[in-house]
Structures are given as structure tokens and as C-alpha cells.
Amino acid sequence: APVPPWVPAGCRSGVVEVERSVTAVLGQDVVLPCRYRAQEGEQVVQVTWLKRGPAGRSAEVAVLNLQHGEHVQEPYADRVLRRTSGALEDGAIVLRN
């Protein structure tokens, strides 16, 4: 298979680990986990969370950026926050209430 132009031939990339299913209780906070197992020399600089809507359309919920911090779109501004600070290899968010 051809290698996309932004991936140098012979380089391996890490693995994104997410839960296939997350159970939430109405009225309580829930963690949406996302961890990147980086290969040596890799660094995560941005994590983007999208909400899949009708007909497969996606809407941006939050962007976690190493340099610029976190930005949460207006409809979710008081409900979404990053679970931890520091390296973005842990890109989990908390959805409040």
C-alpha cells in the first residue's frame, strides 16, 4: 500500500487507545479517554475532539493544543474540560453533567 506523503517511509507511528464504549449516568460527569502511545521521538502537539452527528457529519467539540492550550466550542464551553494537564499523550476530556 502506498505511504501517505506526510509519513516518511520506514517510520512507525504510535497507537491511539480509546474505549469502544463508555457508560455515562445522567447528571454525573464522565471521562472520555484517549491515550496516544508514542514511538520514540514523537510528541503530540494537538488533540481534536469531534461529535458525530446525523448522517455522519462531525462537529468540533474541543481542541487541546500544546502551545495554545485548550479551546472548547461555545455549546460545550461550560461542560467540557481536559482531564489532566501536561503532555497531550493523555488527551482525555471530562464531559460534565
Side-chain angles (χ1 to χ4, degrees), residues 7-60:
V7 179
C11 285
R12 294 178 55 205
S13 61
V15 176
V16 176
E17 298 175 349
V18 294
E19 298 291 328
R20 188 180 255 327
S21 175
V22 175
T23 301
V25 176
L26 187 63
Q28 295 186 12
D29 295 354
V30 64
V31 173
L32 301 181
C34 179
R35 175 167 285 283
Y36 183 74
R37 300 278 180 203
Q39 295 291 315
E40 188 177 344
E42 286 186 316
Q43 180 183 34
V44 178
V45 295
Q46 182 167 298
V47 175
T48 302
W49 280 90
L50 304 171
K51 180 179 179 182
R52 186 176 299 150
R57 293 178 187 236
S58 295
E60 187 177 280

